[in-house]
């Protein structure tokens, strides 16, 4: 039998060799991507966090969704609501990428770019994937018609055509950006799509049919405005990563809107998870080094679906009016957001399915008006206390179990160091950290770029 010391030497040497090998492998694969994604129902303040981090990035990439959600960004140029454009458009050195997984509304994109020009901003650097697909007018028409048909049972869609768009992509009758520049192919693709969709439009909703040739002409004309930006973004990003450049992946909406893991059917139609980011952006999964899950210090939710900590009126109005930069109202729709106290059950789950390596906590300043601040630490479902986030059918029966922490009743918007926050605010942050199980690294204390604290 070998002496103990020999065995230890053998294992130590093996460990060193394996470690070195894995370091070599790490060096060989592409690294350098950071995903900024939502831990909840969307509107967590991802735009502010992406804008804050974008200055360090070479690329800022949208990988899913379309112009159905909006990011609010407040910086030295003013206040902006971005829908399709990545949040790096305010930095001249950043290359902004709209990846293959995005739903591109061409006229929406053109008017967003025009909006920046109208406000005196320099032309942003932008690349739109030639593999991304186009939101067609029929998608918007079908989305609107279906919500109208559903009436009181509607999903709360933003009516931007996103669900019909992704359905057509799955049906393989979608139109890629590259098709817009091949006249005959475009007509063929549109005929293929409209063949099926006009039946529903005319006979299901009593609307006039769409004509493939007319539509092709209009789309081809419109496409000329984005032609300078159309590119093979996959190759662009791979080259960037190979050269050691950094990529910021910008999620839209939040984990609980994921079609597989969220509050189905009150979900969106593409995955807002960091796990989908490499697919929708076209980069290798192992390139993602950090996943920053963004969550608000309270909860807000636009649209329908179970929302366990939702506050009734008039308490909701008090929180809603203090929230965000000018109250909690949807950026795309202007709808008042439903609001409630922090939900640790939902957020812990959201962070888990995002694979969060760290958390950015926003809107902490908003909670400075209460003597005590409740946190939902568990749910009560049919008399049983649970701490794991259940499927929608069970979630609808959940009631929040609150723990109350002392409030700080102070304006913290000018605080710039974590240690300078009032004790109660720090206790609140640290309790959330404990409940979520992921370190909180960034704390936002106001909508402006500089209102940010870094916690070690
Ligand atoms: P996103 O889609 O996740 O980027 O979120 P939205 O832009 O839809 O909503 C976040 C709202 O909170 C916007 O009105 C932001 O300007 C605002 N906001 C972000 N961070 C803070 C913060 O720390 N404090 C306050 N008061 N507002 C914030």
């Amino acid at each position: 039998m070998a002496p103990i010391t020999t065995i230890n030497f053998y294992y130590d040497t093996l460990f060193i060799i394996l470690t070195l090998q894995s370091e070599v492998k790490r060096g060989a694969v592409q690294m350098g991507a950071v995903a900024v994604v939502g831990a909840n129902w969307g509107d967590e303040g991802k735009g502010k966090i992406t804008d804050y981090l974008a200055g360090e990035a070479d690329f800022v990439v949208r990988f899913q969704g379309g112009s159905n959600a909006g990011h609010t960004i407040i910086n030295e140029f003013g206040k902006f609501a971005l829908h399709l454009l990545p949040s790096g458009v305010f930095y001249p050195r950043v290359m902004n990428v709209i990846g293959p997984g995005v739903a591109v509304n061409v006229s929406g994109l053109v008017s967003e770019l025009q909006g920046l020009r109208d406000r005196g901003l320099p032309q942003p650097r932008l690349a739109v994937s030639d593999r991304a697909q186009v939101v067609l007018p029929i998608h918007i028409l079908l989305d609107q018609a279906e919500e109208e048909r559903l009436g009181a049972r509607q999903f709360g869609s933003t009516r931007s055509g996103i669900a019909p768009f992704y359905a057509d992509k799955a049906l393989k009758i979608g139109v890629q950006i590259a098709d817009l520049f091949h006249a005959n192919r475009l007509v063929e693709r549109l005929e293929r799509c409209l063949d099926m969709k006009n039946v529903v439009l005319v006979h299901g909703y009593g609307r006039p049919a769409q004509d493939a040739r007319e539509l092709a002409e209009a789309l081809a004309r419109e496409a000329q405005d984005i032609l300078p930006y159309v590119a093979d973004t996959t190759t662009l990003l791979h080259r960037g990563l190979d050269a050691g450049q950094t990529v910021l992946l910008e999620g839209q909406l939040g984990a609980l809107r994921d079609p597989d893991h969220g509050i189905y059917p009150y979900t969106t139609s593409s995955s807002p998870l960091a796990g989908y980011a490499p697919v929708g952006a076209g980069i290798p999964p192992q390139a993602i080094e950090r996943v920053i899950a963004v969550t608000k210090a309270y909860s807000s939710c636009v649209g329908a679906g179970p929302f366990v900590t939702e506050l009734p009126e008039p308490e909701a109005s008090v929180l809603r009016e203090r929230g965000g930069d000018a109250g909690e109202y949807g950026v795309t729709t202007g709808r008042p957001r439903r609001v409630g106290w922090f939900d640790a059950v939902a957020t812990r789950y959201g962070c888990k399915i995002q694979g969060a390596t760290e958390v950015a906590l926003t809107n902490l300043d908003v909670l400075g008006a209460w003597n005590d601040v409740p946190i939902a630490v568990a749910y009560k479902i049919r008399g049983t206390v649970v701490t794991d986030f259940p499927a929608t059918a069970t979630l609808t029966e959940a009631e929040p179990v609150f723990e109350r922490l002392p409030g700080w009743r102070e304006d913290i918007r000018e605080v710039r160091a974590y240690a300078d926050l009032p004790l109660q605010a720090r206790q609140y942050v640290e309790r959330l950290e404990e409940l979520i199980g992921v370190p909180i690294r960034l704390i936002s204390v106001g909508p402006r770029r500089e209102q940010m604290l870094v916690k070690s």
Side-chain angles (χ1 to χ4, degrees), residues 43-47 70-72 324-325 331 337 363 365 444-447:
D43 308 320
E44 296 93 345
K46 297 173 297 295
H71 293 310
T72 312
D325 66 283
V331 177
R337 290 178 183 152
N363 284 267
D365 53 302
S444 172
V445 292

Side-chain angles (χ1 to χ4, degrees), residues 88-128:
V89 289
F90 304 102
Y91 294 95
R93 65 176 284 274
V94 170
M95 174 56 90
N96 294 278
V97 174
I98 295 183
V102 177
V104 182
N105 178 324
V106 177
S107 55
L109 179 59
V110 171
S111 50
E112 251 184 83
L113 283 165
Q114 186 57 45
L116 295 187
R117 277 194 289 274
D118 292 347
R119 305 265 303 263
L121 255 86
Q123 185 76 2
R125 294 175 69 212
L126 175 70
V128 181

Side-chain angles (χ1 to χ4, degrees), residues 2-277:
I4 298 284
T5 46
T6 314
I7 293 174
N8 282 350
F9 174 75
Y10 170 76
Y11 278 114
D12 283 349
T13 312
L14 188 65
F15 176 72
I16 291 167
I17 291 169
L18 288 176
T19 311
L20 282 175
Q21 272 183 349
S22 80
E23 284 305 319
V24 171
K25 275 200 200 123
R26 266 170 70 89
V29 297
Q30 294 148 320
M31 301 292 285
V34 177
V36 177
V37 287
N40 305 106
W41 303 265
D43 308 320
E44 296 93 345
K46 297 173 297 295
K48 151 119 197 220
I49 302 297
T50 315
D51 177 64
Y52 175 78
L53 297 170
E56 304 293 311
D58 296 295
F59 297 92
V60 176
V61 187
R62 279 285 308 271
F63 58 89
Q64 48 78 228
S67 39
N68 51 328
H71 293 310
T72 312
I73 293 175
I74 302 176
N75 55 28
E76 69 267 33
F77 300 108
K79 177 176 171 178
F80 296 86
L82 298 181
H83 299 280
L84 201 52
L85 284 172
S87 299
V89 289
F90 304 102
Y91 294 95
R93 65 176 284 274
V94 170
M95 174 56 90
N96 294 278
V97 174
I98 295 183
V102 177
V104 182
N105 178 324
V106 177
S107 55
L109 179 59
V110 171
S111 50
E112 251 184 83
L113 283 165
Q114 186 57 45
L116 295 187
R117 277 194 289 274
D118 292 347
R119 305 265 303 263
L121 255 86
Q123 185 76 2
R125 294 175 69 212
L126 175 70
V128 181
S129 169
D130 51 3
R131 289 186 173 89
Q133 296 200 11
V134 182
V135 178
L136 300 172
I138 194 155
H139 295 141
I140 299 168
L141 275 174
L142 288 171
D143 200 357
Q144 287 167 349
E146 180 59 6
E147 286 286 282
E148 276 164 31
R149 187 186 72 84
L150 287 170
R153 292 176 300 135
Q154 62 184 241
F155 287 106
S157 159
T158 56
R159 304 180 183 207
S160 349
I162 301 300
F165 164 91
Y166 280 107
D168 283 1
K169 190 182 199 179
L171 285 168
K172 296 175 283 288
I173 55 171
V175 171
Q176 288 190 316
I177 292 280
D179 298 333
L180 296 175
F181 306 100
H182 293 83
N184 292 341
R185 185 177 161 83
L186 180 59
V187 175
E188 271 169 38
R189 294 299 303 156
L190 288 171
E191 276 170 349
R192 185 88 187 251
C193 174
L194 294 176
D195 253 8
M196 188 193 275
K197 297 291 145 171
N198 274 336
V199 177
V200 182
L201 196 63
V202 175
H203 301 290
Y205 298 111
R207 310 273 170 115
Q210 299 254 303
D211 180 76
R213 280 187 187 278
E214 268 175 35
L215 187 54
E217 274 168 32
L219 286 171
R221 255 196 319 274
E222 212 170 57
Q224 290 309 309
D225 290 338
I226 60 159
L227 181 58
Y229 306 110
V230 175
D232 172 0
T233 58
T234 307
T235 301
L236 186 72
L237 289 172
H238 275 250
R239 285 201 182 126
L241 285 164
D242 283 342
Q245 292 185 308
T246 51
V247 174
L248 200 58
L249 300 153
E250 179 175 28
Q252 179 223 33
L253 294 166
L256 305 175
R257 299 292 186 191
D258 180 78
D260 291 312
H261 304 278
I263 52 169
Y264 188 86
Y266 305 100
T267 47
T268 191
S269 309
S270 64
S271 174
L273 298 184
Y276 182 76

Side-chain angles (χ1 to χ4, degrees), residues 412-441:
I412 57 169
R413 285 173 297 179
E414 299 314 317
V415 174
R416 292 294 174 269
Y418 181 70
D420 295 339
L421 281 177
L423 174 68
Q424 296 87 338
R426 277 181 283 134
Q427 282 171 338
Y428 183 75
V429 171
E430 283 156 36
R431 181 66 181 133
L432 295 190
E433 198 167 43
E434 199 172 70
L435 288 163
I436 304 169
V438 180
I440 295 175
R441 292 274 184 250

Side-chain angles (χ1 to χ4, degrees), residues 307-319:
F307 180 30
V308 179
T309 63
E310 181 167 16
L311 276 170
E313 293 297 345
E315 291 98 307
S317 292
V318 179
L319 184 52

